[in-house]
Amino acid sequence: MDTLRSLDYNLIKTLATYTHDHTWLAIFVSFCAELLIIVPFLVLYVLWKKPEPVSNKHGNQKAALLALVSLVLALAAKSLVNFLYFRPRPFVSHPDLLHLPFKVDPASFPSGHTIIAFVIAFSLWHSGLRKVATWLLIVATLVGLARIAAGVHYPSDVIGGILIALASSWYMHREASSIRKFLPNE
């Protein structure tokens, strides 16, 4: 376990220090870590406003609603994990660690931004919107990496967020299929 913690700390220290040393990178990381999270929600809005199916399993509105329900499930799982296990932010545990000045809650594990970005991408993938989901997976990866480079999450926080997002989107699309009958028909 100490090896994993050491690897976690060394990776975040390297990325955060490199980010702090390059202004252009700090600006890009700030954008990706704080603002890029808007993109998945904009995609869901466009899918909702364009209800005709585009060769996917459910139609655009069902895909958007399933993504939102998956998101609620994932955020509930995050809250449960935060209740059972509290991990402070990296810059709190390691005062020597450089970080970009963001307003953040005190809990570090798992990464909420990563959960949001990945659960929407995974859910749209499961709904059959593979092209849109591929682009959102790139966006989600940028969000996760930026949260590490900004010094506000350990790599394991981001990995934990990805796993929660994958599990909740899979569950909603595979096991909880009974919810589909309550979603709009297109």
Side-chain angles (χ1 to χ4, degrees):
M1 196 61 152
D2 288 336
T3 306
L4 180 61
R5 286 186 183 160
S6 176
L7 180 65
D8 237 7
Y9 172 72
N10 289 333
L11 187 57
I12 191 174
K13 183 160 179 71
T14 301
L15 284 173
T17 302
Y18 190 78
T19 300
H20 253 274
D21 290 345
H22 298 85
T23 306
W24 62 271
L25 185 58
I27 293 168
F28 180 71
V29 164
S30 293
F31 172 78
C32 290
E34 287 192 293
L35 300 176
L36 202 58
I37 196 71
I38 295 168
V39 171
F41 290 107
L42 291 175
V43 169
L44 291 180
Y45 177 76
V46 168
L47 288 174
W48 186 261
K49 287 298 189 179
K50 185 180 175 188
E52 66 273 355
V54 185
S55 70
N56 61 25
K57 294 179 188 176
H58 310 299
N60 291 346
Q61 286 186 341
K62 272 190 183 179
L65 278 175
L66 282 170
L68 289 174
V69 174
S70 297
L71 177 60
V72 170
L73 180 65
L75 292 177
K78 177 195 180 332
S79 295
L80 179 64
V81 169
N82 287 156
F83 179 74
L84 297 173
Y85 172 73
F86 176 80
R87 182 182 194 182
R89 296 282 177 170
F91 56 86
V92 173
S93 298
H94 306 282
D96 63 320
L97 189 64
L98 299 171
H99 70 286
L100 298 177
F102 294 149
K103 288 185 178 182
V104 292
D105 65 349
S108 181
F109 182 83
S111 170
H113 282 77
T114 303
I115 287 174
I116 292 168
F118 273 97
V119 78
I120 292 172
F122 288 147
S123 185
L124 294 179
W125 182 273
H126 291 310
S127 289
L129 292 166
R130 302 289 162 97
K131 288 181 183 178
V132 173
T134 301
W135 284 106
L136 286 181
L137 285 171
I138 293 168
V139 167
T141 302
L142 285 173
V143 168
L145 290 174
R147 300 296 289 178
I148 298 167
V152 295
H153 280 293
Y154 293 102
S156 58
D157 299 340
V158 171
I159 292 168
I162 292 169
L163 293 176
I164 288 173
L166 183 61
S168 68
S169 65
W170 175 83
Y171 179 77
M172 287 309 302
H173 284 271
R174 299 292 181 241
E175 301 299 322
S177 60
S178 61
I179 195 172
R180 290 186 189 142
K181 66 183 174 187
F182 299 107
L183 300 176
N185 290 325
E186 299 165 8

